[in-house]
Amino acid sequence: MRRKTEKPLKQNAMPNTKNAMLRYQILDRLLSDRRHNYSLDDLTEVVSDEICELNPQSDGVVRRTIEKDIAFLEFDNTPPAVIERYTVDSYSRERQREVKKHCLRYEDPSFTIFNKAMSDDERELLGEAMSLIGHFEGLPGFEQLEALRQKAKVKRRRHHAISLPKSPAASTNVFGQLFKAIVSKQVVDISYHRFKHPEPDQYMVYPYLLKEYNRRWYLICEDVKDGSIRNLSVDRFERVTPVPSVSYKKFDGDILKRYEEVIGVTFYPDKDLQHIEFWVSDASNDFVATKPMHHSQHAVSIAREKELRDAYPKLNGGTFFSIDCRENYELIRELTSFGKELLVISPVELRNTVCNRIVEMTAAYADLYF
């Protein structure tokens, strides 16, 4: 049907502004709908019901308000809406017979009044965002990025404002398969090739999380057979096969919070959350302060610092820090990586573990000379 040229209302007649944006959002959705045929009365009823549902104190809207909204969308909105008027055969319960129902809808079902032209700044931001997504070529729908770029008229970026280290695992089809399995909550069978093992291991797992640490991606998952939680390096995967015949099991708890309590990806259930204090020399103080080894890191209180200064008078200068996390391999490696510039104060058990690691390192170096 051809759009009517006459204006049902005076142009520039501003509709009632009360709940106006909410009404426009609802109308925008209804006018794009091709599964229903909405008359003006139908539109009024649906908009009124939805507004009352969101705000029980509202009296809804009347037909006249919707008429003004339609006129505003057609003649005063930017971009203007091209609305098609058409008729369908419909049964009237009141008249108990077939009648002609006069309906309205967008001429183009993909049209939306909220589809504003993209500014140059927005186009630049979108281009940079798309270049960052490009680091994960294995993600489902990655091939659609090029079509999106062309549709949005975004130029290919030769020089990036942000540079990320590109992990080979993130650029494989395996990475995309794992991502899809987590999102769709699907059990997968994995062929996993460990270092120095000639034959791959087979794991059937519930995939929960993809986590990056030290430029390597890991899949956090639960073994279907024994219920153990595993962290498997994605670059060691040879094959990933969906297993739709096995029901998916959700993680019992918050998987993200679980790994907030550790550095890296190793989680030992038998290790409790610890309050760890350590001293950092003036030489490394600024580096540790501005690049925390854990999100809980902060300098100790003034009162606690005085206690530590009195207990360890040989520690000149420097700063005392604390973190709250669980002991694992990555924590020990971080604490020993600063050498003599970082000393663990408490707990004593952790200090002994770090000290033993340093003794082992010293012995290994001694073997080079003697």
Side-chain angles (χ1 to χ4, degrees), residues 264-315:
V265 295
T266 308
F267 186 98
Y268 298 124
D270 59 331
K271 297 291 185 180
D272 295 329
L273 190 67
Q274 299 183 90
H275 183 68
I276 302 167
E277 294 176 322
F278 53 92
W279 171 87
V280 180
S281 70
D282 289 329
S284 297
N285 175 57
D286 290 341
F287 183 85
V288 174
T290 57
K291 190 177 182 295
M293 64 178 64
H294 190 256
H295 65 85
S296 65
Q297 178 180 306
H298 62 270
V300 302
S301 66
I302 296 177
R304 179 57 179 163
E305 180 180 2
K306 186 178 185 307
E307 293 177 359
L308 293 172
R309 294 290 181 192
D310 292 340
Y312 302 96
K314 292 185 178 181
L315 295 178

Side-chain angles (χ1 to χ4, degrees), residues 5 44 60 78-79 83 91 138 153 163 167 210 223 266 309 324 339-340 350 356:
T5 57
T44 303
T78 303
I83 296 178
Y91 181 77
K153 298 181 180 179
S163 176
S167 169
L210 283 165
D223 195 305
T266 308
R309 294 290 181 192
D324 296 287
K340 65 182 180 63
L350 179 63
N356 289 336

Side-chain angles (χ1 to χ4, degrees), residues 119-168:
S119 68
D120 290 340
D121 287 344
E122 291 171 332
R123 192 172 285 106
E124 286 292 322
L125 288 173
L126 179 59
E128 187 62 35
M130 291 175 68
S131 71
L132 293 178
I133 296 173
H135 285 266
F136 303 92
E137 298 172 5
L139 293 184
F142 174 81
E143 64 280 356
Q144 298 175 2
L145 279 177
E146 179 61 19
L148 176 61
R149 183 192 67 78
Q150 293 180 358
K151 184 178 180 180
K153 298 181 180 179
V154 175
K155 295 181 179 179
R156 292 182 181 273
R157 298 189 66 87
R158 297 181 179 178
H159 305 286
H160 303 302
I162 299 176
S163 176
L164 293 178
K166 195 165 186 176
S167 169

